[in-house]
């Protein structure tokens, strides 16, 4: 459920007509709904009520400071993958003691920064990283809290680019090596083993792979317990899908209901790292139709947003709903390919969409709150769009539109 709805034929974000936002801030424009963000975070938090838990929002989905701040105010933890994301969370008022640090390639300076900040846990993904982390922590005279990310080798049944829990993926520690590495981590001077972690993929629409992964982790927790390694928290990762089209992803409460009985009597804190399920349907991308270009083969609607602002259709062949922001009574319905101005044939936002549109109309690309702005680029020297957050009848500009001068302010021509 989200807070984008039609009222008398006009699309609203909470109590604000998105058409007014386009007038005021221009297009392309990312529009977020605070009430939706909060609702989705609470869906996870409430689902785990009664279980010791921490919901760590995956910052990569949408790292705007206002988004992070809204979630921090609700007590969210954060899953980060870089020093950049760490600094964003801190700047947004996030609690460092609720931060977990994922990723296969943590640099020395990133580890140092995170140690200094006092984060909750490093999700370690290899033996080499384990050694690096222990060395850095020992030198600083501290013990780094670690969770080992295991690769449970389950098929998440999602797009191959966003599947991470198969043994051929670069992520996590192979199950066959996990026990040895937990024992090693337990001995290393700079480490304090605190948890076990796993993330099998994204946009999952079935629970079974998540539950299978959980089962495999619990077996390992038990084996480790017998060998004197105590695991305090189990991080089940993110990955719960959202509805872009006709998907029927499980609700967080279904997930929690299936997951918690598996814990048996074990005393484990549960961590989760949802990103898309919190931010995805809390945002849309507003774009204006620049030209209509019917051809004998296809009808193109050329809009002012592109793969530079939203790369998911290009990169994953992802389907995102594209809707008019108000009913056009003049135009007749036709089948359109919605494409951007970027010089790539792959620059499209939607194909074969039945729409009644005219030049100058506004369209909204739904479900663009996650992996939208964060994956945007300046390709074709396109300044990145502004972002606004609607809160009831109020609108906050949470990121200004980039200016072209900013795109090359770090560049220099050669001396004469
Ligand atoms: N935890 C870890 C370790 C992750 O790698 C990810 C996402 C998450 C949590 C959050 O997953 P979520 O709940 O959002 O599914 N750009 C792609 C998605 C890439 C996901 C990368 N990792 C897309 O636009 O579909």
């Amino acid at each position: 459920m989200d807070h984008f709805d039609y009222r008398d034929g006009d699309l609203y974000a909470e109590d604000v007509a998105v058409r007014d936002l386009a007038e005021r801030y221009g297009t392309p424009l990312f529009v977020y709904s605070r009430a939706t963000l909060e609702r989705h975070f609470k869906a996870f938090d409430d689902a785990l009520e009664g279980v010791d838990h921490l919901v760590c929002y995956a910052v990569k989905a949408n790292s705007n400071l206002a988004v992070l701040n809204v979630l921090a105010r609700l007590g969210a933890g954060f899953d980060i993958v870089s020093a950049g994301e760490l600094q964003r969370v801190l700047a947004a008022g996030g609690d460092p003691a609720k931060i977990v640090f994922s990723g296969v390639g943590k640099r020395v300076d990133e580890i140092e920064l995170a140690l200094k900040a006092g984060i909750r846990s490093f999700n370690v993904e290899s033996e080499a990283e384990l050694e690096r982390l222990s060395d850095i922590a020992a030198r600083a005279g501290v013990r780094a809290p670690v969770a080992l990310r295991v690769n449970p080798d389950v098929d998440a049944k999602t797009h191959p680019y966003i599947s991470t829990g198969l043994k051929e993926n670069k992520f996590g520690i192979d199950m066959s090596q996990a026990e040895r590495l937990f024992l090693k981590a337990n001995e290393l001077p700079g480490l304090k083993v605190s948890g076990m972690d796993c993330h099998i993929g994204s946009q999952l629409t079935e629970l079974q792979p998540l539950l299978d992964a959980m089962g495999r982790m619990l077996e390992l927790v038990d084996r480790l317990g017998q060998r004197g390694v105590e695991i305090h928290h189990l991080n089940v990762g993110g990955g719960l899908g959202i509805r872009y089209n006709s998907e029927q992803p499980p609700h967080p409460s279904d997930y929690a209901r299936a997951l918690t009985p598996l814990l048996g009597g074990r005393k484990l804190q549960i961590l989760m790292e949802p990103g898309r399920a919190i931010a995805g349907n809390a945002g849309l991308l507003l774009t204006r139709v620049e030209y209509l270009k019917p051809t004998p083969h296809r009808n193109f609607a050329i809009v002012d947003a592109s793969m530079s602002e939203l790369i998911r259709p290009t990169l994953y062949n992802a389907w995102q709903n594209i809707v008019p922001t108000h009913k056009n009574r003049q135009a007749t319905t036709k089948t359109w390919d919605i494409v951007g101005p970027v010089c790539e044939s792959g620059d499209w936002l939607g194909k074969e969409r039945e729409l009644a549109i005219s030049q100058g109309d506004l369209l909204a690309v739904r479900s663009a709150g996650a992996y939208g702005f964060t994956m945007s680029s300046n390709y074709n020297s396109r300044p990145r769009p502004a972002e606004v957050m609607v809160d009831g009848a109020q609108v906050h500009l949470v990121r200004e539109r980039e200016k072209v001068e900013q795109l090359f302010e770090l560049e220099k021509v050669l001396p004469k």
Side-chain angles (χ1 to χ4, degrees):
M1 239 290 292
D2 59 62
H3 294 263
F4 296 99
D5 287 301
Y6 286 95
R7 293 187 195 170
D8 296 329
D10 268 314
L11 182 62
Y12 272 69
E14 302 193 17
D15 297 326
V16 180
V18 297
R19 199 196 320 216
D20 294 343
L21 295 173
E23 292 303 324
R24 197 161 150 199
Y25 300 101
T27 53
L29 180 73
F30 280 100
V31 180
Y32 307 131
S33 150
R34 177 180 185 173
T36 312
L37 270 177
E38 294 190 335
R39 182 191 176 95
H40 292 169
F41 174 79
K42 285 185 193 146
F44 281 94
D45 210 26
D46 293 350
L48 289 164
E49 207 191 333
V51 182
D52 185 11
H53 72 275
L54 180 63
V55 179
C56 297
Y57 167 70
V59 174
K60 62 174 83 69
N62 185 325
S63 57
N64 183 285
L65 291 196
V67 170
L68 302 180
N69 174 260
V70 161
L71 297 174
R73 290 192 211 185
L74 298 179
F78 295 93
D79 167 46
I80 59 162
V81 291
S82 69
E85 288 190 349
L86 172 59
Q87 283 166 279
R88 278 182 175 273
V89 171
L90 299 178
D95 179 356
K98 292 183 181 173
I99 294 176
V100 298
F101 192 172
S102 304
V104 292
K106 301 177 194 76
R107 294 191 313 253
V108 170
D109 61 299
E110 292 183 306
I111 291 174
E112 285 170 348
L113 201 70
L115 267 180
K116 214 146 109 209
I119 67 164
R120 165 72 207 268
S121 174
F122 289 85
N123 294 340
V124 168
E125 304 220 15
S126 64
E127 184 163 13
E129 184 191 338
L130 212 54
E131 287 166 359
R132 175 181 279 183
L133 180 58
S134 175
D135 286 350
I136 296 171
R139 236 183 294 127
V142 294
R143 278 174 176 259
V146 297
L148 293 198
R149 175 172 176 179
V150 295
N151 182 331
D153 192 27
V154 297
D155 183 356
K157 303 204 172 69
T158 186
H159 190 287
Y161 284 13
I162 51 176
S163 191
T164 50
L166 285 171
K167 54 180 185 283
E168 59 262 36
N169 297 134
K170 70 177 174 183
F171 298 100
I173 289 163
D174 196 274
M175 270 298 186
S176 63
Q177 302 176 330
E179 196 167 327
R180 176 178 69 80
L181 291 188
F182 266 106
L183 290 168
K184 176 167 176 169
N186 217 25
E187 298 302 318
L188 284 173
L191 303 183
K192 183 176 180 322
V193 174
S194 73
M196 190 183 294
D197 167 44
C198 136
H199 170 80
I200 58 170
S202 197
Q203 185 53 14
L204 311 189
T205 51
E206 289 175 35
L207 281 182
Q208 203 51 50
L210 289 162
L211 302 177
D212 289 349
M214 172 90 171
R216 290 182 197 182
M217 286 209 288
L218 287 171
E219 281 169 23
L220 183 57
V221 167
D222 293 344
R223 283 208 304 279
L224 289 168
Q226 286 156 13
R227 302 192 66 175
V229 184
E230 213 184 316
I231 304 297
H232 301 280
H233 78 252
L234 206 57
N235 182 340
V236 296
L240 217 55
I242 62 169
R243 190 175 179 138
Y244 285 99
N245 191 1
S246 55
E247 303 92 329
Q248 300 272 338
H251 189 270
S253 59
D254 302 328
Y255 185 19
R257 250 195 310 277
L259 192 113
T260 45
L262 301 181
L263 289 175
R266 300 175 188 89
K267 271 215 178 88
L268 286 166
Q269 186 187 34
I270 296 296
L271 268 58
M272 274 190 189
E273 302 171 346
R276 189 193 315 265
I278 290 177
N281 278 325
L284 54 77
L285 175 61
L286 266 186
T287 182
R288 198 173 285 282
V289 178
E290 291 285 346
Y291 300 101
L292 294 180
K293 182 175 172 178
T295 78
H297 308 288
R298 300 188 84 85
N299 295 323
F300 296 105
I302 302 165
V303 297
D304 65 2
S306 70
M307 62 184 281
S308 304
E309 291 74 37
L310 184 67
I311 202 174
R312 301 193 67 259
T314 303
L315 192 58
Y316 314 113
N317 208 13
W319 192 97
Q320 301 212 193
N321 201 7
I322 302 178
V323 296
T325 63
H326 58 278
K327 215 174 174 69
N328 182 333
R329 294 181 206 284
Q330 269 82 52
T332 49
T333 301
K334 279 194 191 156
T335 306
W336 297 99
D337 283 0
I338 313 298
V339 302
V342 163
C343 300
E344 300 269 348
S345 294
D347 177 29
W348 54 276
L349 298 172
K351 285 187 178 161
E352 298 181 357
R353 304 302 173 91
E354 302 285 319
L355 290 165
I357 44 176
S358 308
Q359 183 169 323
D361 277 3
L362 276 177
L363 297 173
V365 186
R366 301 292 310 268
S367 315
Y371 307 110
F373 190 92
T374 49
M375 295 182 81
S376 67
S377 75
N378 295 119
Y379 186 43
N380 280 202
S381 283
R382 295 172 56 81
R384 281 180 298 173
E387 297 172 280
V388 296
M389 190 179 295
V390 175
D391 182 7
Q394 288 185 318
V395 183
H396 304 279
L397 177 63
V398 295
R399 192 178 206 272
E400 287 176 34
R401 187 174 300 283
E402 272 176 354
K403 296 184 181 63
V404 171
E405 307 84 82
Q406 292 175 314
L407 302 191
F408 51 79
E409 73 188 355
L410 302 175
E411 301 172 25
K412 275 196 177 67
V413 297
L414 298 185
K416 283 212 176 108

